[in-house]
Amino acid sequence: MIAAESRSLERELNPWLAAEARFDEAAARLKLDDGMQKVLRSPTRELTVYLPVQLDDGRLEVFTGFRVQHSIARGPGKGGVRYAPDVTLDEVRALAAWMTWKCAVVNIPFGGAKGGVVCDPAVLSEGELERLTRRYTAEILEFLGPESDVPAPDINTNAQIMAWIMDTYSMHKRHTETAVVTGKPLDLGGSLGRQEATGRGCLIVTLEALRKLGMDIENTTVVVQGFGNVGGTAARLMARAGMRVIAVIEIDGAVYSPHGLDIDALMKHREETGSILGFPGAENLDRDEALFLDCHVLVPAAKENVITSLNAHKIRARIICEGANGPTTAVADQILADKRIFVIPDILANAGGVTVSYFEWVQNRQGFYWNEQLVNGRLEEIMVKSFRDVVGYADRHGVDNRIAAYMLALDRVAFALKLRGIYA
Ligand code: GLU
């Protein structure tokens, strides 16, 4: 690849630039004034921390962590914390902005924030992970609080890590404060339905898309990329709803069966063998081969930058439901639009997680807990309404679903900011 091409690909794959590209287009269409654009595009606060942690063998290691609050105009900063070896500040910044727009799309009273720690959790022991989490929490303590910034799980973080964050914060405050973090274990104030909320949200908006496009559930074939909490749950619930999940894609390859995969059995197989590959009755495929399968619904539910200018033209799905944050680059958007693929953008498609995080925060503050039916019913109500808001907006204004979602979100955040005014 020549230098100029590789530079333009590097720019395309930078998540912060991708977030800005969509922001710019939506802001221009809304005719937002220049000053408001400046305020909304830049984060409110960013913190980089260096975390000394004693490893099990006695050595000291220093890890880097970030917490970015993008906006607190509509409420406390809200967003997950991810642990991964390649996390960067630009990535966390983009993810924080996406949280702002996501919370505004589903109209819950939060701003946007995100955190990350550069580490490889696969090589850390439970004790090392706990010490790292507690030190990270202590270092970003001034940011945190039920009224200021509320973390949650994201890639490679889970309910146990949220419990350590809650405990560390509470020890400093000298009282138990469950609402400082969501996605906690049920016994520590977690909400029923939170674990599967993101995947369930994907199911709800996919059903809405099928209805809108006049497609029936029974004939719908699905390819899911990523078999973690989001992809795994989405696959399971979509299969249970009557769709045929014909392929699942993971880091080490994909499995495919035109008759549909038994998702529960596939989860068991992975648990027993450590991989989805070699699943009885299914064919092993190359990752890319599976991504480009002819199917009705493609659910990218792993990481950023899966659908790019290099491969978007090969996608053969009718609907893309973005379970992950930022799986499609801004350049790829145009290619998908030209192919008339119906994209349910990440800030809508995966908003089920933060929506039930909001329910968890409400329950913690009320000290009164809801049953799962109530949680799922309220989630469905919000996801269906948000889908219709976005798609209706897209139809009315002649823009694609992603730009419609951004426009709706920007308008809401700008309006809140206008009402509050600028403190001088
Ligand atoms: N990490 C999830 C997301 O990207 C959930 C965030 C939350 O619940 O605060 O939406």
Side-chain angles (χ1 to χ4, degrees):
M1 201 182 287
I2 58 170
E5 262 176 43
S6 104
R7 259 199 312 280
S8 92
L9 187 64
E10 200 182 304
R11 285 181 63 79
E12 180 187 341
L13 300 185
N14 180 313
W16 175 244
L17 297 180
E20 278 194 325
R22 275 76 170 247
F23 174 93
D24 288 345
E25 184 173 348
R29 285 186 185 269
L30 281 172
K31 299 189 172 50
L32 267 190
D33 77 67
D34 281 356
M36 187 58 90
Q37 285 195 38
K38 272 188 205 154
V39 179
L40 291 182
R41 79 173 16 238
S42 54
T44 299
R45 286 195 195 115
E46 300 183 349
L47 188 58
T48 299
V49 290
Y50 299 95
L51 314 166
V53 175
Q54 182 148 36
L55 303 179
D56 291 345
D57 63 9
R59 276 182 307 129
L60 266 180
E61 189 57 82
V62 179
F63 296 89
T64 305
F66 311 106
R67 186 75 186 168
V68 175
Q69 288 174 355
H70 174 262
S71 168
I72 49 170
R74 287 169 40 90
K78 186 82 193 80
V81 178
R82 65 173 53 175
Y83 287 179
D86 54 355
V87 182
T88 63
L89 183 55
D90 259 358
E91 179 185 354
V92 175
R93 195 182 277 147
L95 288 158
W98 283 327
M99 287 309 301
T100 302
W101 313 132
K102 191 186 300 187
C103 292
V105 166
V106 287
N107 213 356
I108 57 177
F110 286 136
K114 200 84 177 194
V117 177
V118 186
C119 68
D120 181 1
V123 303
L124 295 175
S125 70
E126 170 111 349
E128 290 167 340
L129 215 50
E130 176 173 355
R131 293 194 287 281
L132 175 67
T133 301
R134 288 187 182 279
R135 185 66 188 233
Y136 172 66
T137 308
E139 294 294 341
I140 63 165
L141 205 78
E142 297 85 47
F143 269 33
L144 301 184
E147 300 287 357
S148 42
D149 188 341
V150 185
D154 198 75
I155 293 175
N156 290 331
T157 55
N158 57 22
Q160 175 60 72
I161 290 176
M162 299 308 115
W164 291 327
I165 294 178
M166 190 277 266
D167 182 69
T168 307
Y169 181 87
S170 298
M171 294 311 285
H172 279 265
K173 296 290 168 194
R174 315 304 297 158
H175 66 266
T176 296
E177 187 57 86
T178 51
V180 67
V181 66
T182 59
K184 298 178 293 290
L186 282 180
D187 293 314
L188 285 178
S191 175
L192 289 165
R194 174 62 187 87
Q195 174 92 11
E196 61 173 33
T198 313
R200 181 174 292 281
C202 290
L203 167 72
I204 296 166
V205 291
T206 299
L207 288 174
E208 282 297 301
L210 293 176
R211 192 168 306 139
K212 162 142 181 96
L213 299 176
M215 297 159 71
D216 48 285
I217 300 172
E218 285 71 32
N219 291 320
T220 296
T221 53
V222 182
V223 172
V224 178
Q225 184 252 349
F227 204 46
N229 183 39
V230 180
T233 305
R236 193 161 44 76
L237 296 181
M238 285 180 181
R240 205 178 289 163
M243 300 176 211
R244 200 151 28 102
V245 181
I246 56 168
V248 168
I249 311 172
E250 266 282 57
I251 298 242
D252 52 347
V255 283
Y256 166 71
S257 164
H259 312 294
L261 299 159
D262 176 342
I263 300 301
D264 289 323
L266 181 60
M267 285 182 173
K268 204 154 169 262
H269 171 78
R270 193 210 12 213
E271 224 173 270
E272 284 163 8
T273 67
S275 167
I276 57 169
L277 299 181
F279 182 52
E283 194 184 323
N284 287 343
L285 285 188
D286 186 67
R287 281 195 298 184
D288 276 356
E289 228 178 313
L291 196 65
F292 309 138
L293 278 171
D294 197 355
C295 65
H296 296 105
V297 181
L298 172 64
V299 185
K303 282 205 75 176
E304 298 94 75
N305 297 334
V306 171
I307 303 171
T308 69
S309 59
L310 300 179
N311 65 13
H313 55 283
K314 295 194 210 157
I315 302 280
R316 288 195 286 165
R318 174 72 186 93
I319 296 169
I320 295 178
C321 174
E322 296 186 334
N325 292 309
T328 309
T329 66
V331 186
D333 277 348
Q334 192 51 51
I335 303 172
L336 299 180
D338 292 344
K339 287 168 68 89
R340 306 184 62 76
I341 294 177
F342 188 90
V343 177
I344 314 172
D346 49 4
I347 57 174
L348 168 65
N350 70 40
V354 76
T355 299
V356 177
S357 275
Y358 166 53
F359 298 161
E360 181 174 330
W361 180 81
V362 168
Q363 291 170 78
N364 292 156
R365 288 156 57 100
Q366 285 183 329
F368 180 68
Y369 288 82
W370 313 351
N371 65 35
E372 194 161 357
Q373 210 184 344
L374 191 60
V375 170
N376 289 346
R378 286 186 166 154
L379 171 65
E380 184 168 359
E381 213 174 285
I382 289 184
M383 294 304 292
V384 168
K385 177 172 186 330
S386 307
F387 178 92
R388 292 181 185 168
D389 283 352
V390 168
V391 171
Y393 198 97
D395 288 345
R396 273 196 311 282
H397 292 86
V399 294
D400 64 35
N401 292 339
R402 189 184 316 277
I403 294 303
Y406 270 75
M407 288 172 74
L408 212 86
L410 253 72
D411 205 27
R412 285 184 180 150
V413 181
F415 190 63
L417 206 62
K418 248 185 228 139
L419 286 174
R420 289 180 67 148
I422 300 294
Y423 179 73

